[in-house]
Amino acid sequence: MITSISWKNVWRNKHRSLIVIVAVTLGTVAGIFVAGMMKGWGDQRVNAAINIEAAHLKIQNPEYLNNEEIAYTIPDYSQVKDFIKQQSAITKFTSRTKVVAMAATSRGNTAVTIKGINPEDEKQVSSLYEFIQHDGGSYFDVEYKNPIVISDKTAEQLRIKTFRVSTELIDSLKNLQVPETVLKVAQEYEGRRFYSKTKFRKAFESELSKSEARKYGALITELAKNYQLKSKIVFTFTDMHGEMTYQSYRVCGIYKTSNTAFDAQNAFVLQEDLARAAGFGPNDFHEIALLVNLDASSEKTEQLAISSRFPQVNVMTWREIAPDAAMLADIMDVYYFMIMSIIFLALAFGIVNTMLMAIMERIKELGMLMAIGMNKKKVFRMIMLETVFLTLTGSVVGMGLGALVLKITSYTGLDFSSVGEGFEAFGYSAIVYPNIEWNYFFAIIVLVIIVGIASSIAPARKALKLKPIDALRTE
């Protein structure tokens, strides 16, 4: 009976109750959406750390970690490789050579780490090949000598990436039916070449109105992008004999991941090409990247097994190589509940105020109930249930709307490209696909009930202090 009365009391003042319910609904939707975005970014960062940057495990010479000298290759490589093949928990692995070099073209230079890889083996461990730009060539699918895959960032630093308004771009704008004013500016810029995205966009948008710049600036900048594939890059590095060596490569592909720092540091060439230039032997490799099965304990188990068998090598998990991603994965649940707790704490003040108003309006009614025998426990329970129903109704509606918003945005994604370079500088994608685990919704229900009970304490104490006789005399 108390439960039924409490539910009816919630709707005695529909206007006031709906205001609180709407506030709780919006707060729940906001909390779920923010948590979903953080989960999406966190998952993308962890996936990038494992599938692009580090793999599950990486084996190296301990000295190479202290000083990236070319001579510090993996000791007893053949034995280590044979041992890895025997481990059932290890699903895939690939070996790489590495050289720190200075890259130069006729227009720019930068320092990079060249990684010698076997493309087919690399595809089993790293998904980097999936990040080749749509107009950025291919992943070693070429026939010319000494091909190299560099990043979009490196291409920009070496000025292999340019921005130019071409005839094809103008034709594309005509097909898109852009305004004549925009088309006229594009025609004025036809043939001009820029080596900086920022300078091109700033110059182009300065000729447009604010609304046109906002609507077409990013589109035209993207269409104007051009990679000069087959460009020659000369690398300078020290070979295995300590001699300064020069080797030229031609760009066959350009990739772009969500981690600008990783992109700026790494370029990829064929293993045999780098071995020939640097003087590597058949067993000279600087790292072995491994993937293990989905059992989370396998990482640590295999790390200990390899370290015990070969104490002369260093074995690191992706958590040690990318501690930022590991920390994010470990404390994500804490972030969720911090967000929702802050939101519900703010809402709790409004809920307490609403319930106190309800109590003040029903002083005579509560006095009568206590006069005819309703004890204090039942009064407290009634007020507590009213508060819980009020918050639970709003949160359930909010969870439904929040789940709908997440379902839509997880499919479409949220594009933060306008500030993408800021996110990517820290290793996070500019396009996030929010998602969240379903057990999070059960946790919200528990949190809502706790907040409801806590919010009911002050109004309930106010009601319990009432004396039936004095309450009945209240006009």
Side-chain angles (χ1 to χ4, degrees), residues 1-9 381-382 385-386 389:
M1 186 180 76
I2 295 296
T3 302
S4 177
I5 292 173
S6 298
W7 176 248
K8 289 178 181 178
N9 285 340
R381 184 182 166 196
M382 180 180 69
L385 286 174
E386 286 180 33
F389 285 149

Side-chain angles (χ1 to χ4, degrees), residues 325-397:
M327 181 190 71
L328 199 62
D330 291 339
I331 66 173
M332 190 58 69
D333 289 342
V334 177
Y335 279 151
Y336 295 161
F337 294 112
M338 283 179 61
I339 292 169
M340 293 308 300
S341 296
I342 291 170
I343 290 173
F344 279 116
L345 179 63
L347 291 172
F349 290 99
I351 296 168
V352 170
N353 184 57
T354 298
M355 291 306 299
L356 283 173
M357 290 175 63
I359 296 299
M360 295 303 294
E361 290 177 356
R362 292 157 50 196
I363 288 177
K364 195 168 185 178
E365 175 190 322
L366 290 171
M368 185 176 293
L369 289 172
M370 288 188 285
I372 62 175
M374 180 178 279
N375 59 39
K376 290 185 176 182
K377 279 187 177 182
K378 290 183 178 180
V379 173
F380 179 86
R381 184 182 166 196
M382 180 180 69
I383 295 171
M384 181 193 71
L385 286 174
E386 286 180 33
T387 312
V388 171
F389 285 149
L390 197 62
T391 53
L392 199 57
T393 301
S395 64
V396 169
V397 175

Side-chain angles (χ1 to χ4, degrees), residues 120-174:
E120 294 307 314
D121 289 346
E122 193 74 14
K123 285 181 180 180
Q124 303 300 314
V125 176
S126 171
S127 60
L128 185 83
Y129 68 96
E130 298 177 358
F131 291 85
I132 298 294
Q133 297 292 281
H134 70 276
D135 54 350
S138 66
Y139 190 72
F140 297 105
D141 188 18
V142 293
E143 296 180 357
Y144 50 83
K145 185 179 179 182
N146 291 346
I148 184 171
V149 173
I150 63 173
S151 70
D152 175 85
K153 184 67 175 178
T154 302
E156 186 176 324
Q157 292 170 331
L158 296 177
R159 298 194 171 186
I160 293 171
K161 175 184 177 182
T162 63
F163 295 86
R164 183 172 62 89
V165 176
S166 62
T167 304
E168 291 78 10
L169 188 150
I170 293 175
D171 291 339
S172 297
L173 294 180
K174 288 179 180 177

Side-chain angles (χ1 to χ4, degrees), residues 39-104:
K39 179 70 161 57
W41 262 318
D43 288 348
Q44 286 177 315
R45 180 70 193 99
V46 171
N47 288 335
I50 294 173
N51 297 318
I52 299 175
E53 301 167 26
H56 286 131
L57 295 173
K58 187 176 286 187
I59 303 172
Q60 294 173 301
N61 185 323
E63 294 297 328
Y64 189 82
L65 298 174
N66 299 323
N67 187 357
E68 294 186 349
E69 289 287 344
I70 191 172
Y72 293 137
T73 56
I74 297 173
D76 302 317
Y77 169 78
S78 296
Q79 297 177 36
V80 174
K81 183 178 178 181
D82 291 339
F83 181 79
I84 291 171
K85 289 180 177 179
Q86 297 171 7
Q87 304 304 300
S88 58
I90 296 175
T91 56
K92 303 291 181 182
F93 72 93
T94 186
S95 303
R96 303 165 181 152
T97 49
K98 297 171 67 176
V99 170
V100 179
M102 178 61 70

Side-chain angles (χ1 to χ4, degrees), residues 252-267:
C252 72
I254 295 176
Y255 71 90
K256 187 177 187 297
T257 72
S258 60
N259 191 337
T260 302
F262 174 86
D263 291 357
Q265 293 172 2
N266 295 282

